[in-house]
Amino acid sequence: MIYFVEDDPSIRELVVYTLGSSGMEAKGFALPSEFWKAMQETAPELILLDIMLPEEDGLSILRRLRTDRRTADIPVMMLTARSSEYDKVVGLDAGADDYLPKPFGMMELIARVRALLRRTQKEEPQESYRIGDLTVLPEKHIAEVNGERINLTYKEFEMLLLLLRNRELVLTREQFLDKIWGYSFEGESRTVDVHIRTLRQKLGTAGRYIRTIRGVGYKLEEAPDET
């Protein structure tokens, strides 16, 4: 969601329409009070802010955003008729991430908005698992032992993930069948043993982390001995 604070209805409606047509959800506000009310409900990904506004000027709004820890990291682009170097410096010093003077073209605005979103977007940390010399990246479907890629089938990879996500816990053969093959699977528990054996072989030295708990099932733990 992008918020745009602009008291000129023609500019506000055109920008909101253009952003929407470009696949970006946007909402316009004629008054700062309307903007602040919306901020209490939902924080946007980006704020487009005019300087000359009724009730409260854009620079004041910007300073308030930057001093509040809940909104300090939201990217802000100033869109204003003030195009002097002094006004630009004041806006950037107050914490603006970009500055686009009026009049501006819609194509330039879209390009600048996309660039700003890319620049300020925080990357989510990728889920990963490590145990000894074994590293697994679920999202990339990668398993490595001592940096060497291991070629696993889908079922083998899912079994390894199940063990990693329940590290140090004993998983029964029935749990493997339920989680990996599905509750309607009509095979026998021996299927789990066969896949575990193959998985251990493919993991090489890291196969020792898969421990057999006699009469129960399997668990994953870092231990020097093989079972």
Side-chain angles (χ1 to χ4, degrees):
M1 172 65 75
I2 297 173
Y3 284 173
F4 179 32
V5 189
E6 166 64 65
D7 59 324
D8 186 320
S10 59
I11 296 176
R12 186 175 65 252
E13 291 170 9
L14 176 59
V15 168
V16 169
Y17 173 79
T18 302
L19 290 170
S21 300
S22 302
M24 292 176 277
E25 189 177 1
K27 185 178 294 186
F29 304 94
L31 300 173
S33 56
E34 297 173 350
F35 164 75
W36 288 119
K37 183 178 180 180
M39 287 292 292
Q40 292 177 353
E41 299 173 0
T42 306
E45 295 178 81
L46 172 70
I47 297 171
L48 305 178
L49 192 58
D50 188 29
I51 286 184
M52 301 298 292
L53 293 166
E55 299 182 344
E56 182 181 9
D57 68 79
L59 290 175
S60 175
I61 294 175
L62 178 59
R63 292 189 182 97
R64 286 177 61 184
L65 289 168
R66 290 297 178 250
T67 54
D68 189 331
R69 62 180 178 81
R70 295 169 298 179
T71 59
D73 294 330
I74 299 176
V76 176
M77 181 187 297
M78 307 299 291
L79 303 180
T80 175
R82 293 186 174 184
S83 57
S84 72
E85 183 177 0
Y86 173 78
D87 289 323
K88 180 177 180 179
V89 170
V90 170
L92 294 175
D93 281 348
D97 297 278
D98 202 356
Y99 196 104
L100 186 60
K102 300 174 184 177
F104 50 82
M106 290 297 106
M107 294 300 290
E108 181 182 6
L109 172 64
I110 294 300
R112 298 276 283 271
V113 165
R114 284 177 173 160
L116 183 54
L117 286 172
R118 284 196 302 269
R119 193 166 73 241
T120 57
Q121 191 173 40
K122 295 181 180 178
E123 291 188 3
E124 293 294 326
Q126 190 178 78
E127 182 185 26
S128 65
Y129 296 96
R130 294 179 187 276
I131 175 172
D133 49 10
L134 172 65
T135 301
V136 178
L137 302 175
E139 293 181 13
K140 294 184 177 181
H141 204 273
I142 290 175
E144 294 179 337
V145 177
N146 286 321
E148 183 178 347
R149 187 78 59 89
I150 306 300
N151 185 25
L152 300 177
T153 65
Y154 176 79
K155 287 279 194 298
E156 291 164 352
F157 192 84
E158 289 301 304
M159 290 181 78
L160 180 57
L161 275 184
L162 187 61
L163 286 163
L164 285 164
R165 287 168 175 161
N166 295 275
R167 186 172 171 177
E168 307 291 343
L169 298 178
V170 180
L171 297 174
T172 66
R173 292 171 176 82
E174 289 71 24
Q175 286 176 306
F176 277 105
L177 290 174
D178 180 43
K179 299 292 185 181
I180 307 301
W181 280 265
Y183 67 90
S184 60
F185 179 69
E186 297 180 355
E188 56 183 38
S189 60
R190 185 66 183 165
T191 300
V192 176
D193 298 330
V194 172
H195 278 75
I196 287 289
R197 183 169 65 248
T198 304
L199 178 58
R200 277 177 172 152
Q201 291 172 349
K202 289 186 175 182
L203 291 176
T205 57
R208 69 186 186 279
Y209 303 140
I210 302 176
R211 309 287 307 285
T212 299
I213 309 301
R214 298 189 183 282
V216 184
Y218 301 93
K219 73 172 180 176
L220 194 77
E221 66 176 0
E222 188 171 1
D225 61 317
E226 293 188 32
T227 301

